[in-house]
Amino acid sequence: MREEILFEITSLSREPMRVKAFKFGKKDATPSCVIVGPMTGDAIDQLWIASRMVRFLRQKELENPSFILGEIVVVPTANTYSFNMGKSFWPLDNTDIDVMFPGYEKGETTQRIAARLFEKTNNFDFAILLEARKDHAECKPYVSLLANGAEDVDDARAFGLDFIHIKDESPIDTVSINYNWKIWNAKSFSIISGKKGELRKNDANKVFDAIVRFLSKHKIIDFPIFEGSIGNVVTYDNIEIIKSSAAGLFDTLVHVGDRVVHGQPLARIYNTLDGTLMQTIIAPFEGIISCAYDYPLIFQNAIAFRIIRLEDTQLP
Amino acid sequence: MIEEFFNVKLPVDEHLILKRNRFLTPLQELNGKRISIITGIHGDEIEGQYVCYLLAKWLNENPDKIKGIIDIYPSMNPMGIDSITRGFPFYNVDINRTFPGKTSEFLPGQVANAIVEAIKGSDYAIDIHSSNIFLRELPQVRISKSNAKELVPLAQKMGIDFIWVHDAVTVLESTFSHTMNTLGTKTLVVEMGVGMRITKEYGENLTEGILNLMAQLDIIDRPLSLSKPSFVSTINAEVHFINSPCSGVFIPTLEHNVTVAQGEKLGDIIDPLLGEIKATLLSPCDGLLFTIREYPVVYEGSLIARILEDTKEEKA
Ligand SMILES: [Zn+2]
């Protein structure tokens, strides 16, 4: 393992922010894979996954140097400053680094961070971004492919996660690292999981295993693995949004990943002052809870659950 | 006439309500045009509050002069405005990156959708911003190159100091102005002053400019007042960005809204611990200093100033 400071950003009164990479295998060996951890400072699960990955690769490489067949670079995070103060976005101006790609070396601070991170990560065969959802939702771990990378769905199946989501591109996606990796010909994937601000080890470990599986199946490491899921492909058309019609205390009755049946109560919403039951949210059909609202107070018309309809997912 | 166009319940005994004030000709002779004045999408930008007040006051005092429909929307992010929060509180997203929005989206997207639905059908719209808390701006209208032909003549009718025609950027397709221009409402974005403050002179000038514009568009009956011609950035004029080369504290030498000469000092980046000047920033050209940093703490890359270079014609 080689540890390297990719770049630094200085600050008025703080220690410089060091963005570090951990490199395994021989430089320019193929196939190559870069794994980039979170750019938001509250994606704890993702930091856990990235650091565990460094630890795993380091230990296995020490035991057996030929364990690494290609080249792997892990950048656990490009935003240490925000982690150290419990913020999501860039500490000074609250900008999101992941809307600054491909970056601009002469631009604002976060554009420069993006430019430097991109320059160091855009020449790999495979690129994996670890992300937490930025809205108030907890999700079953899934692979997210932008529509410009839809042809990579078979490669995405190597993760063995249950769901692969093909996302329609919005203008904001064109400035994400994932989109820009793809433009530069990497096969790029986002893995989205967990709940921001918390460590959910069960789900985090599933993502960890998925990445090991991916590296093994693509012959980047030599390591035995268990088979995962075959990978159901879903788009917005398969995902139904269940909204709250009342506001108040949100008492959820199901877990992310649960299979629910038509008519099953999913959550209750109570008046926050007098305790009156305002709404029982009912599953309108059979499916799997892919995402759930993750805060105990809820607005009216908020997205309470996302359910993947069972009848129309595409099997390979 | 006060009208509500969005109403959603918050968790604890409150509604989030978006309102407009509609002024129209008392005779219902609706042959006139419709204009919408909106502000407060960014909750830390307050300059537009004063403009809305001055316009509503004039309209209250001159009901007989109204020949069309004038809608005033002072607060498109009510919780943000009332709490110095730039984005949509709780969701921590910039509403001006969620347009056009959908009713099926999360709350900020629903708000964006409601704003679009309310304003759709207006002939004109003016979206008033005040930069952010970091930069102070000379009053200016910003226009994407793709709309320049239609919108520059409209902006000139306001007699605003500066019209900045900039390149089209994909990510700006999720803004209010892009959405409304696409829907056929000629929409101008005004940036002026600085976040969290009101610059009275700017507010008064812009109000006068909007009244002038409305008079020329036959929306109100009012003699034109004299206005000075605008600086317009054209293909012959370049806008220079001056970003900080290092972290530190910025001490300006010049106020904004001044003409600068090439090589003239804009300010220093100082180190308070060492008592040293870390960098001195000079103007790269002769021109108009229309943006200057207001918030002193900077990182490498923080924007310090923008200068509109004098055009060749003007120099000759
Ligand atoms: Zn703004």
Side-chain angles (χ1 to χ4, degrees), chain B residues 41-42 44-45 86 96 128-132 191:
Chain B
I41 285 179
H42 291 140
D44 58 351
E45 301 178 11
R86 183 173 184 79
N96 211 22
I128 305 168
H129 289 254
S130 32
S131 186
N132 51 42
E191 288 279 1

Side-chain angles (χ1 to χ4, degrees), chain A residues 108 116 136 243 300-301, chain B residues 9 11 90 103 110 300 303:
Chain A
E108 263 288 347
R116 291 169 197 179
H136 285 277
K243 292 214 248 177
Q300 184 187 16
N301 293 337
Chain B
K9 291 187 193 104
F90 186 69
T103 53
Q110 293 171 36
E300 177 192 338
L303 188 63

Side-chain angles (χ1 to χ4, degrees), chain A residues 10-12 92-94 106-109 112 116 136 171 174 241 243 247 272 293 295 298-301 303, chain B residues 8-13 90 92 103-107 110 134 170-171 243 247-249 299-303:
Chain A
T10 62
S11 182
L12 171 64
L92 185 66
D93 60 10
N94 210 34
K106 292 178 177 158
E108 263 288 347
T109 313
R112 293 183 186 207
R116 291 169 197 179
H136 285 277
T174 62
I241 283 170
K243 292 214 248 177
T272 45
Y293 183 79
Y295 192 73
I298 195 165
F299 295 50
Q300 184 187 16
N301 293 337
I303 298 173
Chain B
V8 72
K9 291 187 193 104
L10 301 182
V12 191
D13 197 28
F90 186 69
N92 203 9
T103 53
S104 61
E105 283 180 15
F106 67 160
L107 201 51
Q110 293 171 36
F134 301 102
T170 309
V171 64
N243 296 74
S247 55
V249 176
Y299 287 78
E300 177 192 338
S302 295
L303 188 63

Side-chain angles (χ1 to χ4, degrees), chain B residues 28 38 48 51 57 98 157 164 191 263 308 310:
Chain B
Q28 306 296 324
I38 90 149
V51 178
K57 180 167 177 284
T98 62
K157 290 186 170 57
W164 183 4
E191 288 279 1
L308 172 69
D310 290 344

Side-chain angles (χ1 to χ4, degrees), chain B residues 229-304:
Chain B
S230 311
F231 288 95
V232 183
S233 76
T234 63
I235 39 169
N236 300 322
E238 198 184 340
V239 170
H240 293 265
F241 289 62
I242 294 98
N243 296 74
S244 180
C246 56
S247 55
V249 176
F250 175 62
I251 306 293
T253 307
L254 297 174
E255 295 292 313
H256 82 320
N257 190 15
V258 293
T259 50
V260 293
Q262 184 175 5
E264 196 172 347
K265 182 172 161 182
L266 304 171
D268 291 319
I269 311 290
I270 59 163
D271 183 328
L273 183 65
L274 298 176
E276 288 172 357
I277 292 173
K278 294 177 80 178
T280 295
L281 300 165
L282 306 177
S283 174
C285 61
D286 295 347
L288 174 73
L289 182 61
F290 69 91
T291 305
I292 188 92
R293 190 165 187 90
E294 177 85 10
Y295 188 75
V297 174
V298 296
Y299 287 78
E300 177 192 338
S302 295
L303 188 63
I304 299 291

Side-chain angles (χ1 to χ4, degrees), chain A residues 289-308:
Chain A
I289 307 274
S290 64
C291 265
Y293 183 79
D294 74 351
Y295 192 73
L297 291 176
I298 195 165
F299 295 50
Q300 184 187 16
N301 293 337
I303 298 173
F305 297 98
R306 288 185 173 85
I307 300 184
I308 300 173

